[in-house]
Amino acid sequence: KRQQLVGAGVDCIRYNTAYGSPTECQQILDMIRGKKISVQFMLDLKGRQTRLVCKQEETVTLASECIRVGGKDCAIDTSHPLHRFVKIGGLLTFGEHRDNPAEVIDIDGGVVVCRFYNTPSFALRHGMIVDIKCVNMDSLPPLSKRDLEFVMWGVSNRIESYALSFVHSTTDLELLEGEIAKISRNTNYQPQLIAKVEDIRGIQWLESLTRDINLSYSMAVMIGRGDLSINVPIHTLYTHQRTVVRRCKQIGIEVIVATGLLLSLQGQY
Protein backbone atom coordinates (compact mmCIF):
# COMPACT_ATOMS: atom_id res chain seq x y z
CA LYS A 1 0.00 0.00 0.00
CA ARG A 2 2.87 2.39 0.74
CA GLN A 3 4.29 1.68 -2.70
CA GLN A 4 0.86 2.46 -4.20
CA LEU A 5 0.65 5.76 -2.29
CA VAL A 6 4.03 6.86 -3.58
CA GLY A 7 3.10 5.79 -7.09
CA ALA A 8 -0.18 7.74 -6.86
CA GLY A 9 1.71 10.97 -6.22
CA VAL A 10 1.62 11.46 -2.43
CA ASP A 11 4.02 14.30 -1.50
CA CYS A 12 4.33 13.77 2.28
CA ILE A 13 4.22 10.62 4.41
CA ARG A 14 3.42 11.02 8.12
CA TYR A 15 4.74 8.36 10.48
CA ASN A 16 2.94 8.01 13.81
CA THR A 17 5.67 7.14 16.32
CA ALA A 18 3.08 5.82 18.80
CA TYR A 19 2.76 2.64 16.74
CA GLY A 20 6.23 1.77 15.50
CA SER A 21 9.97 1.99 15.90
CA PRO A 22 12.92 3.82 14.31
CA THR A 23 13.75 0.53 12.53
CA GLU A 24 10.36 0.51 10.79
CA CYS A 25 10.76 4.21 10.04
CA GLN A 26 14.07 3.44 8.35
CA GLN A 27 12.47 0.80 6.13
CA ILE A 28 9.79 3.22 4.94
CA LEU A 29 12.30 6.03 4.44
CA ASP A 30 14.62 3.77 2.45
CA MET A 31 11.69 2.79 0.22
CA ILE A 32 10.81 6.45 -0.42
CA ARG A 33 14.33 7.70 -1.03
CA GLY A 34 15.21 4.63 -3.07
CA LYS A 35 12.69 5.75 -5.66
CA LYS A 36 14.46 9.12 -5.90
CA ILE A 37 11.20 11.08 -5.90
CA SER A 38 10.25 14.24 -4.04
CA VAL A 39 8.30 12.93 -1.03
CA GLN A 40 8.72 14.56 2.36
CA PHE A 41 8.73 12.56 5.60
CA MET A 42 6.98 13.76 8.77
CA LEU A 43 7.68 12.29 12.21
CA ASP A 44 4.59 12.56 14.41
CA LEU A 45 5.80 12.55 18.04
CA LYS A 46 3.47 11.33 20.77
CA GLY A 47 4.29 14.08 23.27
CA ARG A 48 1.76 14.31 26.12
CA GLN A 49 -0.74 11.95 24.50
CA THR A 50 -2.22 9.67 27.17
CA ARG A 51 -4.90 7.12 26.37
CA LEU A 52 -7.00 4.83 28.54
CA VAL A 53 -6.87 1.25 27.32
CA CYS A 54 -9.71 -0.44 29.18
CA LYS A 55 -10.89 -4.02 29.08
CA GLN A 56 -14.50 -5.19 29.04
CA GLU A 57 -15.60 -3.06 26.10
CA GLU A 58 -13.76 0.02 27.30
CA THR A 59 -15.38 0.23 30.71
CA VAL A 60 -13.87 0.79 34.13
CA THR A 61 -15.51 -0.13 37.41
CA LEU A 62 -16.09 2.74 39.81
CA ALA A 63 -16.06 1.90 43.50
CA SER A 64 -16.85 4.51 46.17
CA GLU A 65 -16.42 7.25 43.57
CA CYS A 66 -12.81 6.16 43.03
CA ILE A 67 -11.06 4.91 39.92
CA ARG A 68 -7.81 3.00 39.61
CA VAL A 69 -5.90 4.18 36.54
CA GLY A 70 -3.01 2.11 35.25
CA GLY A 71 -4.06 -1.29 36.60
CA LYS A 72 -4.97 -4.45 34.73
CA ASP A 73 -8.53 -3.26 33.99
CA CYS A 74 -7.57 0.25 32.94
CA ALA A 75 -4.09 0.52 31.48
CA ILE A 76 -2.45 3.81 30.55
CA ASP A 77 -0.95 4.11 27.08
CA THR A 78 1.69 6.80 27.48
CA SER A 79 5.42 7.16 26.83
CA HIS A 80 5.93 8.81 30.23
CA PRO A 81 6.58 6.98 33.55
CA LEU A 82 3.28 7.93 35.17
CA HIS A 83 4.35 7.76 38.82
CA ARG A 84 7.08 10.38 38.26
CA PHE A 85 4.73 13.07 36.99
CA VAL A 86 1.58 12.46 39.05
CA LYS A 87 1.63 13.38 42.74
CA ILE A 88 -0.78 12.72 45.58
CA GLY A 89 -3.13 15.68 45.72
CA GLY A 90 -2.75 16.32 41.99
CA LEU A 91 -5.70 16.40 39.62
CA LEU A 92 -6.64 14.28 36.62
CA THR A 93 -9.50 14.86 34.23
CA PHE A 94 -11.04 12.42 31.83
CA GLY A 95 -11.83 13.14 28.19
CA GLU A 96 -13.82 16.33 27.64
CA HIS A 97 -14.95 16.50 31.27
CA ARG A 98 -12.47 18.99 32.71
CA ASP A 99 -15.20 20.46 34.93
CA ASN A 100 -15.17 17.33 37.12
CA PRO A 101 -11.58 16.54 38.11
CA ALA A 102 -10.45 13.58 40.18
CA GLU A 103 -7.88 13.98 42.97
CA VAL A 104 -4.97 11.55 43.21
CA ILE A 105 -5.22 9.92 46.63
CA ASP A 106 -2.74 7.08 46.25
CA ILE A 107 0.00 5.84 43.90
CA ASP A 108 0.55 2.09 44.08
CA GLY A 109 3.42 1.23 41.77
CA GLY A 110 2.16 1.99 38.29
CA VAL A 111 -1.45 2.38 39.47
CA VAL A 112 -2.89 5.80 40.26
CA VAL A 113 -5.95 5.84 42.53
CA CYS A 114 -8.23 8.86 42.04
CA ARG A 115 -11.33 10.15 43.85
CA PHE A 116 -13.82 12.42 42.15
CA TYR A 117 -14.89 15.64 43.87
CA ASN A 118 -18.41 15.12 42.54
CA THR A 119 -20.05 11.87 41.59
CA PRO A 120 -19.29 11.59 37.87
CA SER A 121 -22.35 12.16 35.74
CA PHE A 122 -20.54 11.46 32.48
CA ALA A 123 -21.00 8.23 30.57
CA LEU A 124 -22.07 6.18 33.57
CA ARG A 125 -23.86 2.85 33.11
CA HIS A 126 -24.36 0.57 36.10
CA GLY A 127 -21.38 2.00 37.95
CA MET A 128 -19.08 1.93 34.92
CA ILE A 129 -17.28 4.68 33.00
CA VAL A 130 -17.98 4.21 29.31
CA ASP A 131 -16.30 5.65 26.21
CA ILE A 132 -13.71 7.76 28.05
CA LYS A 133 -10.62 7.26 25.91
CA CYS A 134 -8.10 9.68 27.41
CA VAL A 135 -6.91 11.05 30.70
CA ASN A 136 -5.55 14.59 30.95
CA MET A 137 -2.40 15.14 33.00
CA ASP A 138 -1.15 18.69 32.55
CA SER A 139 2.01 17.91 34.54
CA LEU A 140 3.44 15.71 31.78
CA PRO A 141 6.43 17.15 29.88
CA PRO A 142 6.02 17.81 26.14
CA LEU A 143 8.68 15.26 25.12
CA SER A 144 9.28 11.74 26.41
CA LYS A 145 12.45 9.65 26.28
CA ARG A 146 10.87 7.69 23.41
CA ASP A 147 10.18 10.92 21.52
CA LEU A 148 13.83 11.92 21.86
CA GLU A 149 14.94 8.57 20.45
CA PHE A 150 12.88 9.27 17.36
CA VAL A 151 14.24 12.82 17.16
CA MET A 152 17.79 11.45 17.17
CA TRP A 153 16.86 9.08 14.34
CA GLY A 154 15.13 11.91 12.49
CA VAL A 155 18.12 14.24 12.70
CA SER A 156 20.51 11.52 11.52
CA ASN A 157 18.26 11.05 8.47
CA ARG A 158 17.56 14.77 8.01
CA ILE A 159 13.79 14.32 8.20
CA GLU A 160 11.88 17.26 6.75
CA SER A 161 9.32 17.88 9.52
CA TYR A 162 8.39 16.98 13.10
CA ALA A 163 4.82 17.11 14.41
CA LEU A 164 4.49 17.38 18.19
CA SER A 165 1.25 16.16 19.78
CA PHE A 166 -0.63 18.12 22.45
CA VAL A 167 1.32 21.37 22.23
CA HIS A 168 0.29 23.75 25.02
CA SER A 169 2.76 26.60 24.58
CA THR A 170 5.49 28.02 22.38
CA THR A 171 7.91 26.70 25.01
CA ASP A 172 7.02 23.15 23.94
CA LEU A 173 8.17 23.92 20.40
CA GLU A 174 11.27 25.72 21.66
CA LEU A 175 12.19 22.60 23.63
CA LEU A 176 11.83 20.43 20.52
CA GLU A 177 13.80 22.93 18.45
CA GLY A 178 16.54 22.97 21.08
CA GLU A 179 16.84 19.19 21.10
CA ILE A 180 17.07 19.08 17.30
CA ALA A 181 19.71 21.84 17.27
CA LYS A 182 21.73 20.09 19.99
CA ILE A 183 21.72 16.75 18.18
CA SER A 184 22.45 18.28 14.78
CA ARG A 185 25.17 20.50 16.34
CA ASN A 186 23.67 23.65 14.82
CA THR A 187 24.37 22.71 11.21
CA ASN A 188 22.26 24.13 8.40
CA TYR A 189 19.59 21.49 9.08
CA GLN A 190 16.29 23.42 9.25
CA PRO A 191 13.25 21.11 9.54
CA GLN A 192 9.70 22.36 9.92
CA LEU A 193 7.98 22.08 13.32
CA ILE A 194 4.25 21.30 13.35
CA ALA A 195 2.26 22.08 16.50
CA LYS A 196 -0.64 19.65 16.88
CA VAL A 197 -3.68 21.26 18.52
CA GLU A 198 -5.63 18.47 20.22
CA ASP A 199 -7.21 19.86 23.40
CA ILE A 200 -8.56 23.03 24.98
CA ARG A 201 -5.16 24.13 26.30
CA GLY A 202 -3.74 23.94 22.79
CA ILE A 203 -6.62 26.02 21.42
CA GLN A 204 -6.18 28.63 24.17
CA TRP A 205 -2.46 28.87 23.40
CA LEU A 206 -3.11 29.35 19.71
CA GLU A 207 -5.74 32.05 20.34
CA SER A 208 -3.12 34.05 22.29
CA LEU A 209 -0.36 33.50 19.74
CA THR A 210 1.03 36.47 17.79
CA ARG A 211 3.12 36.77 14.65
CA ASP A 212 6.25 37.28 16.77
CA ILE A 213 7.15 33.64 17.36
CA ASN A 214 10.66 33.16 18.69
CA LEU A 215 11.57 30.07 16.66
CA SER A 216 14.48 29.56 14.29
CA TYR A 217 12.65 26.86 12.33
CA SER A 218 9.51 27.35 10.27
CA MET A 219 6.27 26.44 12.02
CA ALA A 220 2.86 25.09 11.03
CA VAL A 221 -0.22 23.99 12.96
CA MET A 222 -2.11 20.72 12.61
CA ILE A 223 -5.63 20.22 13.95
CA GLY A 224 -5.65 16.64 15.20
CA ARG A 225 -9.38 16.03 14.90
CA GLY A 226 -9.14 12.51 16.29
CA ASP A 227 -7.73 13.42 19.72
CA LEU A 228 -9.50 16.78 19.74
CA SER A 229 -12.85 15.01 19.33
CA ILE A 230 -12.32 13.09 22.58
CA ASN A 231 -11.05 16.13 24.48
CA VAL A 232 -13.93 18.49 23.65
CA PRO A 233 -17.67 17.79 23.29
CA ILE A 234 -18.09 16.30 19.83
CA HIS A 235 -20.74 18.85 18.82
CA THR A 236 -18.19 21.66 19.36
CA LEU A 237 -15.48 20.09 17.19
CA TYR A 238 -16.36 22.03 14.05
CA THR A 239 -16.49 25.34 15.96
CA HIS A 240 -13.04 24.74 17.45
CA GLN A 241 -11.73 23.72 14.03
CA ARG A 242 -12.95 26.98 12.48
CA THR A 243 -11.44 28.97 15.37
CA VAL A 244 -8.00 27.41 14.84
CA VAL A 245 -8.08 27.83 11.05
CA ARG A 246 -9.22 31.46 11.33
CA ARG A 247 -6.52 32.29 13.90
CA CYS A 248 -3.76 30.68 11.81
CA LYS A 249 -4.84 32.69 8.76
CA GLN A 250 -4.84 35.89 10.83
CA ILE A 251 -1.22 35.45 11.97
CA GLY A 252 0.03 33.90 8.73
CA ILE A 253 0.75 30.34 9.88
CA GLU A 254 0.21 27.32 7.65
CA VAL A 255 -2.57 25.08 9.03
CA ILE A 256 -3.37 21.42 8.32
CA VAL A 257 -6.76 19.86 9.07
CA ALA A 258 -6.22 16.16 9.70
CA THR A 259 -7.97 12.91 10.61
CA GLY A 260 -11.09 11.42 9.13
CA LEU A 261 -11.66 13.87 6.29
CA LEU A 262 -11.20 11.52 3.33
CA LEU A 263 -13.02 8.71 5.11
CA SER A 264 -16.05 10.91 5.78
CA LEU A 265 -16.12 11.98 2.15
CA GLN A 266 -15.91 8.35 1.04
CA GLY A 267 -18.88 7.46 3.21
CA GLN A 268 -21.10 10.32 2.07
CA TYR A 269 -20.37 10.73 -1.64
Side-chain angles (χ1 to χ4, degrees):
K1 289 184 177 179
R2 293 165 186 158
Q3 297 271 5
Q4 292 173 351
L5 282 171
V6 173
V10 67
D11 59 6
C12 180
I13 289 181
R14 164 185 165 266
Y15 186 87
N16 190 342
T17 61
Y19 303 108
S21 66
T23 300
E24 186 179 25
C25 269
Q26 190 69 57
Q27 293 172 353
I28 299 172
L29 187 65
D30 290 344
M31 181 270 292
I32 295 169
R33 293 183 174 172
K35 290 184 174 293
K36 298 181 179 179
I37 54 178
S38 180
V39 177
Q40 293 193 2
F41 198 90
M42 178 195 302
L43 270 184
D44 192 335
L45 304 173
K46 194 171 181 179
R48 294 185 175 91
Q49 184 189 69
T50 307
R51 293 285 184 88
L52 291 179
V53 184
C54 304
K55 296 181 180 179
Q56 300 177 352
E57 298 181 353
E58 297 183 349
T59 60
V60 185
T61 303
L62 267 174
S64 304
E65 300 180 6
C66 293
I67 182 173
R68 293 173 62 84
V69 178
K72 63 179 181 179
D73 293 324
C74 182
I76 285 285
D77 178 16
T78 178
S79 298
H80 298 279
L82 196 63
H83 61 282
R84 295 184 185 178
F85 299 104
V86 178
K87 298 180 180 179
I88 293 177
L91 300 179
L92 306 184
T93 58
F94 294 83
E96 66 189 70
H97 307 280
R98 285 183 172 268
D99 57 341
N100 189 11
E103 181 182 5
V104 177
I105 59 174
D106 190 22
I107 301 174
D108 181 11
V111 177
V112 178
V113 183
C114 308
R115 179 169 55 213
F116 290 95
Y117 287 145
N118 302 306
T119 301
S121 58
F122 54 83
L124 278 177
R125 298 177 195 164
H126 307 294
M128 312 289 273
I129 292 181
V130 182
D131 295 332
I132 301 297
K133 294 183 173 63
C134 69
V135 54
N136 307 304
M137 290 176 281
D138 294 338
S139 59
L140 292 181
L143 289 170
S144 68
K145 181 180 178 181
R146 176 181 168 85
D147 290 331
L148 293 176
E149 290 173 356
F150 273 101
V151 170
M152 290 186 67
W153 175 87
V155 171
S156 67
N157 286 277
R158 301 184 77 81
I159 294 303
E160 289 84 0
S161 59
Y162 299 81
L164 180 58
S165 299
F166 289 90
V167 169
H168 289 166
S169 69
T170 307
T171 304
D172 294 348
L173 295 176
E174 291 173 346
L175 178 62
L176 175 56
E177 181 182 77
E179 291 294 337
I180 293 172
K182 181 170 65 177
I183 296 169
S184 64
R185 298 182 180 179
N186 296 310
T187 62
N188 59 355
Y189 178 51
Q190 295 280 316
Q192 183 181 47
L193 304 185
I194 300 172
K196 294 182 68 179
V197 174
E198 298 176 290
D199 60 8
I200 286 294
R201 286 197 61 184
I203 293 170
Q204 291 171 343
W205 160 70
L206 191 62
E207 287 179 328
S208 66
L209 199 62
T210 66
R211 295 177 185 271
D212 301 323
I213 305 168
N214 187 28
L215 290 173
S216 300
Y217 303 160
S218 65
M219 172 193 162
V221 167
M222 178 186 292
I223 305 171
R225 284 163 41 103
D227 277 296
L228 186 58
S229 68
I230 59 176
N231 280 290
V232 301
I234 188 64
H235 66 277
T236 68
L237 177 61
Y238 177 65
T239 302
H240 289 306
Q241 178 178 306
R242 289 187 63 184
T243 298
V244 172
V245 171
R246 184 181 298 115
R247 185 57 184 156
C248 287
K249 291 175 69 176
Q250 287 173 347
I251 58 179
I253 293 178
E254 178 183 357
V255 60
I256 305 163
V257 182
T259 308
L261 292 179
L262 295 177
L263 186 61
S264 65
L265 289 173
Q266 182 182 11
Q268 294 182 38
Y269 299 98

